[in-house]
Each structure stands twice: as structure tokens, then as C-alpha cells.
Amino acid sequence: MIAWFVVVVLGLVVGSFVNVVIWRVPRRESVVLPGSYCPHCGTRLSPRDLVPVFSYLALKGKCRYCREPIAWEYPVVEITNVLLYLLLYAHFGFSLQLWLFGAFFSGLLALAFIDLHHGILPNRLTILGIAVGLLWGGAVDLLRVWGRAPASLTFNLGTYVAEFSILAAGLGALVGGAVVLLVVVISRGGMGLGDVKLNAMIGAFLGWRAALYNLFVAALLGSVVAIVLLMTGKKGRKDAIPFGPYLALGAIILTLYRG
Ligand SMILES: [Zn+2]
């Protein structure tokens, strides 16, 4: 019971930070300083304004100072992050996987929303993600050599997810990046180099099989959503629809999928 509570609180706190990343990274602002501010009036927010979800509800979705509406996206991102953490906890319990994939999922969540808003996938996040995946693989290799790799590291991994190692991460990043690069070269548009680096990051965490399949899962998800958007008239045939969110969602599905 305590464990669930800890996971929910952690999910809310990190989800709140994901919102900061979504707002600031594409604007090239520091994610640490200064403290959070209202995007409308610029007033620095006090701690009571920053309690995830609850502040939004207490303020009825309006800034305490200027009464401008707060984007509904903030609580949605926080709640989504909590749900992702709960799913991970259900799969892995309190293990190293929970923390590692938790960081991975939060990064994907931030990248998906940044792509939706700005049509970019910042290097600051994708390159960082690739580096973390590689470093983690290397760290696990060292633990193995040392004879201290926790058995929980191989516990209940997804059907298409590789065991962590520097080789798995490196191969995953290469294959993941290469398959998307191939599509970028062939299709000339639609997808960009940001998508290449995002799928390389996904490969660095999940290995080459998941990175390869992710292209197809993402394309399938993208087609379904595109058809719905065209049929409902929300988007025209010419509108560009960013691909990053589908790559991110595909990676989450592949991490959790048990065949
Ligand atoms: Zn304000």
C-alpha cells in the first residue's frame, strides 16, 4: 500500500518536472533556474501553486495572480506520467527497472509533447537519452564482470526488449536510427533527423528488435490516427502530423508488451 503511494507521488512530482521540460527545453531555457512562473503574467509561482494536479483543481484552472486559464495539458501530463509509472510498477515492482524505465518513459512523454507543440525533438533530450541508454548498458556489463549484476535486471522484460548491455544498447541505437534514416531518405519529408535520434534513443534502451519493430508499430498508430483526423475533418491531407509521438507511444507499448 505504501509502495503504491510512493509510486503515485513520484509519478506526480516527475510529471510536474516533465511539464517544465516541455515548456522550457524548446525555448532553450534552463530546466532548473529560475523557479516556475506563469507563462501569461510572468509571476513566480509559490510552492502552493505547484502541487501537481491539486493546485490546478484548487485554482479551478486559472492563474492565482492574473486569472488567465492554465493549459489543461499540465494536469494531463502529470496524470499520464503517474499512469505510466503505475504500469511499470505493476510489471517490475520496486526494482531497478522501475527507475530506469520510469526515466525513459518520462523522457518519451516530454519529447512527444514537445514534438506536438513545436514539431521538433531537441538534441538536448534525444542525445541525452542515447547517452543514458549506452551508459546504463555499460554499467550493467561492469556489474556482470564484477559478479554483482542484480537478478532483477532480467526479470519480466518485455517480449521484444533486450537484456541490458553495452552491445545491446549500441546495436539498438544503430539499428533504431538506421531504419528511420532509411525512411527519411526514401520519403523526403514527413520524418526528420529528430525522429532518427529519437528511435536511436529507444533502441539504446530496448535493443535492436524493439527499435526495428517500433517503426512499424509507430507507422500503424500514425495511420490509424491520421485516418480518424481526416475523417473527422480535424486535419487536411496536407497538414504535417509529427511522427515523434507515435515513436514514443510505440516504445511504451513495446516495453510493456508480454506476448
Ligand atoms: Zn498569471
Side-chain angles (χ1 to χ4, degrees):
M1 197 59 208
I2 289 280
W4 289 97
F5 183 71
V6 170
V7 171
V8 168
V9 171
L10 189 77
L12 283 172
V13 171
V14 177
S16 173
F17 181 67
V18 169
N19 276 319
V20 172
V21 170
I22 293 170
W23 179 262
R24 293 191 186 185
V25 168
R27 293 174 173 79
R28 300 182 180 281
E29 294 173 33
S30 160
V31 293
V32 189
L33 293 167
S36 293
Y37 54 86
C38 166
H40 298 289
C41 62
T43 310
R44 277 282 286 278
L45 301 178
S46 64
R48 63 175 178 162
D49 303 322
L50 294 171
V51 186
V53 181
F54 297 102
S55 289
Y56 184 88
L57 294 176
L59 295 168
K60 299 195 180 70
K62 291 197 178 89
C63 171
R64 188 193 301 280
Y65 309 98
C66 67
R67 312 300 303 162
E68 283 288 326
I70 304 167
W72 52 264
E73 187 186 308
Y74 288 94
V76 167
V77 166
E78 284 154 2
I79 289 167
T80 305
N81 199 63
V82 170
L83 292 178
L84 291 175
Y85 280 24
L86 286 173
L87 281 169
L88 286 172
Y89 178 63
H91 275 280
F92 299 122
F94 260 125
S95 67
L96 270 173
Q97 263 102 325
L98 175 65
W99 314 121
L100 185 78
F101 285 120
F104 179 51
F105 279 14
S106 293
L108 291 174
L109 186 60
L111 282 160
F113 274 90
I114 290 172
D115 202 11
L116 283 173
H117 286 302
H118 304 278
I120 56 164
L121 294 159
N123 283 335
R124 258 173 90 183
L125 297 177
T126 51
I127 302 288
L128 176 72
I130 294 169
V132 170
L134 290 170
L135 283 173
W136 177 247
V140 173
D141 279 336
L142 282 178
L143 287 173
R144 273 200 199 96
V145 171
W146 193 24
R148 297 280 170 91
S152 65
L153 280 177
T154 54
F155 169 70
N156 201 18
L157 285 178
T159 308
Y160 301 105
V161 178
E163 267 184 47
F164 302 109
S165 72
I166 186 84
L167 186 67
L171 202 59
L174 271 179
V175 172
V179 287
V180 177
L181 184 62
L182 197 66
V183 177
V184 172
V185 171
I186 294 171
S187 69
R188 299 188 190 188
M191 277 191 249
L193 291 179
D195 298 303
V196 172
K197 282 169 269 183
L198 171 57
N199 208 46
M201 163 181 161
I202 290 163
F205 276 89
L206 303 183
W208 71 269
R209 275 206 306 167
L212 184 61
Y213 291 148
N214 194 36
L215 181 63
F216 301 101
V217 175
L220 187 69
L221 292 168
S223 313
V224 171
V225 174
I227 289 166
V228 171
L229 289 176
L230 282 173
M231 285 198 316
T232 55
K234 289 238 162 74
K235 290 260 184 188
R237 205 171 279 274
K238 295 259 172 66
D239 290 318
I241 300 170
F243 198 61
Y246 302 115
L247 288 173
L249 182 58
I252 288 168
I253 292 170
L254 283 164
T255 304
L256 299 172
Y257 180 76
R258 303 290 186 278

